[in-house]
Amino acid sequence: MPVLVLPDVPLPAPLRHKVAAAGPVLFHHPSGNPWIVGSAAGRTMLHARTRDIDVVLLGTTTDLGNDDLARLLAPTTTVTGLDVLAARATEGDVLLFARERGRLRCQGPLLLTRSLCWTTIDGVPVLSDEQFALKELAVLRPDPAVLASRLTDAELSHPFALHSIWQGLHCAGPGQWIDFRGARPPVPVTWWRPPAADESVGALAGRLRTDLADALRVRTAPHRTISADLSGGLDSTTLVFALADLGRKPRTLFLASDNVANVDHVWAGRAAAELGTDHLVAPYSALFPYLLDPLTSTVITNPEGPGVADTSLASTPMTEGLLRATGTTLHLNGHGGDALFGPVSSMLWSLFRSRDRGRLRRIWQYRSLNRYPLRSTVRMLAHRGTYRQDLERIADHDFASRDDNVAGYSRWVPLPKVHPALTDIAHGHLRALAAAAVTADTAPLSPDRTTHQILQYLTFHGTAVRRMNQAARTGLCFDSPYLDRRVVETSLALGVGDRTRQYPAKPLLAAARPAAMVLDYFTRADKGDYTAEVFAQHQAMKPMVRELFADGSALADLGLVDPAVVLRHLDAYSSTGDTYTDLANIALAERWLRSAG
């Protein structure tokens, strides 16, 4: 259930009635005006007060009690001085609300696994932890420009990932708290900055091992029975071994490919056998009925709107169904692990400008191993454009072409991948969003290009975890310990020189792995390939897509999509399956828009 947060001002009668219908008043301002309204059902609610400040914590991912909160709060006299307490408390799904005379501080987890948003209703700014609650309260409509961006992969990039689908709604960004003063518009304040990327694997491995254990401990403590993905990949496998180190044995879940060359099942089965987990194997095709389910990608299951991760969000009710009989109440996944520990496309650009010994030789070796064309590699390394210039490029682009894959690897903001079915009107919306970001003087997430890119991906994964919990139908909680602030800070501190030394794979994670996990997992020469599943998924979804676009569409009514082009591409061949993924996202966006009314 959502909560509403209100400033200490008299509410106009229409808003007062709406707020009263939203739930009971949990906390009042000293004046008697409502401060926090709604329900804490299923969540721990902590409260502490000093002469100067009130603080409320709301969530499940906490190991604090009221006495702990009071002790941590005692030295603080203003909401601006709460950074240390807030960093300690706001993990997983925990929110912090603080009040001093005339000023509020509202803060969620670093990477938006639970987020805060606000809008103005009847002249009063109102904040909530759920976008749909404010949509209903303020009677908001979908924003056509944001909807156009959600038909592309723009949501992978900052600042497009922060745009709400509901027109007039504003969202906090990663590492921000909301400064709320009376009836004035709330202001985001950046409290967190990423560390310098200048430490070695050896210096960080022990710290990461401790951080990951702490992240798992605080997340699993409230749950008697837990489960976890065990895909055969490094992130999920390391998590399951780390859980075993803490004495927790999760039920594990693996989705099996029909591709006989995909040996992920061997590695997942090996880990399950070594740890003695109750290991459930289901075919990847078990996902398809959930993609076709009329409830999938509607305002009921996806109240924050469609996006590039919609097909994976369909796995939420599937996971609930597969694990229902186990009694698990928490399901852990490895979201964010690839970005934190693996290679990212901009790292060669950063390595080239570092002082790391042997960097030119390593760049050449990496280029050769990955078969990067020499000319494109040189263009990528020589690129000197700024974050603002990349936004300006999008604001002026016709989207008739795409970035050269390798040459574009060093860009702060890549061109969105735009399907041919998107119209000139949709292109105009994309340009307008980029132009607005330029006008707002939007800053990158880090002055370091590689750190910025990693944080973009982590923000996306935090959003994905949040939306998985919104899509859950039976109350199963989803979380990823790799999005814990402590894990993120330690991992981001890895110098680019060590980051590019990807043997063994994910070197920092390999060095921090639990003692029972052998290095073989990180030195495997094979890697699971799921292209066959993309093709099978496309065949399963084709009838639904054809039905949605056979006689116009809601997206076409907004001028965003040409249904004829959608249908033409539906039967076209794609060697990589990329077009099929784009079509699936467009189709699910069509379904969502129809459900929005």
Side-chain angles (χ1 to χ4, degrees):
M1 294 291 291
V3 293
L4 304 176
V5 180
L6 300 153
D8 190 8
V9 298
L11 303 182
L15 178 57
R16 188 167 65 249
H17 296 319
K18 291 178 180 179
V19 168
V25 178
L26 302 176
F27 294 92
H28 289 87
H29 291 286
S31 64
N33 290 324
W35 171 23
I36 303 174
V37 175
S39 172
R43 294 189 272 181
T44 299
M45 185 165 62
L46 304 177
H47 178 225
R49 175 185 299 162
T50 69
R51 184 183 65 181
D52 304 298
I53 306 178
D54 271 307
V55 170
V56 173
L57 297 181
L58 184 64
T60 62
T61 317
T62 184
D63 55 1
L64 297 174
N66 282 316
D67 291 343
D68 301 312
L69 181 59
R71 175 176 48 80
L72 292 169
L73 179 62
T76 312
T77 59
T78 176
V79 296
T80 59
L82 288 171
D83 285 359
V84 173
L85 187 158
R88 166 75 171 78
T90 53
E91 289 293 351
D93 66 350
V94 176
L95 303 168
L96 177 144
F97 303 113
R99 186 198 64 78
E100 65 180 64
R101 182 179 178 87
R103 191 176 192 182
L104 306 179
R105 175 174 180 154
C106 306
Q107 184 171 328
L110 172 65
L111 292 166
L112 312 183
T113 46
R114 190 86 181 183
S115 70
L116 298 171
C117 55
W118 67 94
T119 192
T120 299
I121 305 173
D122 298 333
V124 177
V126 182
L127 181 142
S128 180
D129 60 336
E130 289 192 14
Q131 296 181 26
F132 197 75
L134 292 184
K135 176 266 178 192
E136 293 285 88
L137 207 64
V139 195
L140 304 177
R141 299 293 303 162
D143 187 323
V146 176
L147 183 57
S149 74
R150 300 283 183 88
L151 303 176
T152 75
D153 63 350
E155 203 176 13
L156 293 172
S157 300
H158 178 74
F160 303 108
L162 302 182
H163 294 145
S164 172
I165 195 67
W166 302 111
Q167 202 160 33
L169 211 60
H170 308 278
C171 301
Q176 292 183 334
W177 60 272
I178 307 306
D179 192 353
F180 213 166
R181 306 192 196 196
R184 286 182 283 180
V187 176
V189 177
T190 299
W191 69 272
W192 181 87
R193 302 286 183 185
D198 57 7
E199 296 195 53
S200 68
V201 165
L204 295 173
R207 191 195 316 172
L208 177 60
R209 191 178 302 114
T210 299
D211 290 340
L212 186 55
D214 289 343
L216 286 168
R217 195 175 288 111
V218 74
R219 282 161 173 77
T220 59
H223 302 273
R224 176 176 297 178
T225 304
I226 61 174
S227 56
D229 287 341
L230 184 52
S231 68
L234 297 177
D235 305 320
S236 63
T237 305
T238 304
L239 281 185
V240 175
F241 273 95
L243 284 166
D245 257 10
L246 297 178
R248 300 299 301 262
K249 187 182 293 186
R251 312 295 177 94
T252 51
L253 175 63
F254 175 77
L255 296 186
S257 169
D258 288 335
N259 181 0
V260 294
N262 188 330
V263 296
D264 275 354
H265 68 96
V266 174
W267 293 95
R270 173 178 170 174
E274 290 177 357
L275 294 171
T277 68
D278 183 359
H279 189 54
L280 176 63
V281 178
Y284 186 93
S285 57
L287 173 66
F288 299 164
Y290 292 93
L291 284 170
L292 303 177
D293 185 336
L295 270 181
T296 298
S297 196
T298 63
V299 292
I300 296 172
T301 57
N302 198 355
E304 293 185 6
V308 72
D310 274 4
T311 53
S312 63
L313 281 180
S315 68
T316 300
M318 178 199 70
T319 301
E320 290 182 296
L322 291 171
L323 295 172
R324 183 176 291 116
T326 69
T328 180
T329 54
L330 172 68
H331 187 76
L332 297 173
N333 57 49
H335 272 286
D338 282 340
L340 278 181
F341 308 115
V344 294
S345 63
S346 60
M347 69 183 187
L348 291 189
W349 186 95
S350 296
L351 179 63
F352 182 62
R353 284 159 176 78
S354 74
R355 296 181 178 179
D356 201 71
R357 293 182 63 182
R359 62 188 182 279
L360 296 180
R361 182 176 65 256
R362 203 166 329 121
I363 289 170
W364 183 264
Q365 291 171 341
Y366 195 91
R367 183 200 74 81
S368 300
L369 180 65
N370 290 278
R371 300 180 180 180
Y372 290 173
L374 179 59
R375 179 174 296 183
S376 295
T377 303
V378 171
R379 288 174 57 202
M380 181 264 288
L381 295 174
H383 181 66
R384 292 185 175 275
T386 65
Y387 177 75
R388 181 185 181 92
Q389 287 170 338
D390 276 354
L391 289 172
E392 290 172 339
R393 184 177 71 123
I394 296 173
D396 292 332
H397 212 276
D398 62 6
F399 306 106
S401 61
R402 293 184 178 180
D403 281 330
D404 176 300
N405 277 346
V406 175
Y409 281 175
S410 57
R411 289 197 175 275
W412 292 93
V413 189
L415 282 177
K417 189 172 66 171
V418 178
H419 192 274
L422 270 63
T423 65
D424 288 342
I425 293 175
H427 298 169
H429 284 312
L430 290 172
R431 287 190 289 268
L433 288 177
V438 172
T439 301
D441 200 24
T442 306
L445 296 172
S446 168
D448 178 88
R449 198 169 301 216
T450 294
T451 300
H452 166 80
Q453 186 180 27
I454 293 170
L455 285 171
Q456 284 187 140
Y457 294 152
L458 294 178
T459 301
F460 172 78
H461 284 293
T463 297
V465 168
R466 181 177 77 244
R467 292 178 183 169
M468 290 177 78
N469 283 304
Q470 293 169 349
R473 304 177 191 179
T474 65
L476 179 63
C477 297
F478 293 81
D479 205 346
S480 172
Y482 292 128
L483 300 173
D484 185 279
R485 176 189 56 81
R486 295 160 291 194
V487 172
V488 168
E489 288 178 344
T490 297
S491 304
L492 289 179
L494 183 65
V496 70
D498 276 10
R499 183 175 292 277
T500 56
R501 293 183 178 92
Q502 285 286 323
Y503 190 85
K506 301 187 176 179
L508 178 56
L509 190 62
R513 73 189 188 282
M517 185 180 181
V518 297
L519 193 61
D520 293 5
Y521 288 99
F522 290 86
T523 58
R524 57 181 282 199
D526 48 68
K527 183 173 174 60
D529 179 80
Y530 290 85
T531 305
E533 278 61 45
V534 174
F535 283 80
Q537 176 180 295
H538 177 64
Q539 291 301 317
M541 293 186 69
K542 275 176 72 172
M544 181 194 80
V545 179
R546 187 170 280 114
E547 181 181 350
L548 283 171
F549 291 95
D551 187 23
S553 78
L555 290 170
D557 291 343
L558 291 178
L560 301 179
V561 164
D562 184 338
V565 178
V566 171
L567 295 174
R568 187 164 66 247
H569 279 262
L570 193 60
D571 293 314
Y573 176 70
S574 169
S575 60
T576 63
D578 285 353
T579 295
Y580 302 153
T581 301
D582 294 342
L583 287 172
N585 289 334
I586 291 171
L588 293 175
E590 171 69 22
R591 179 191 279 169
W592 183 89
L593 185 58
R594 293 185 184 192
S595 75

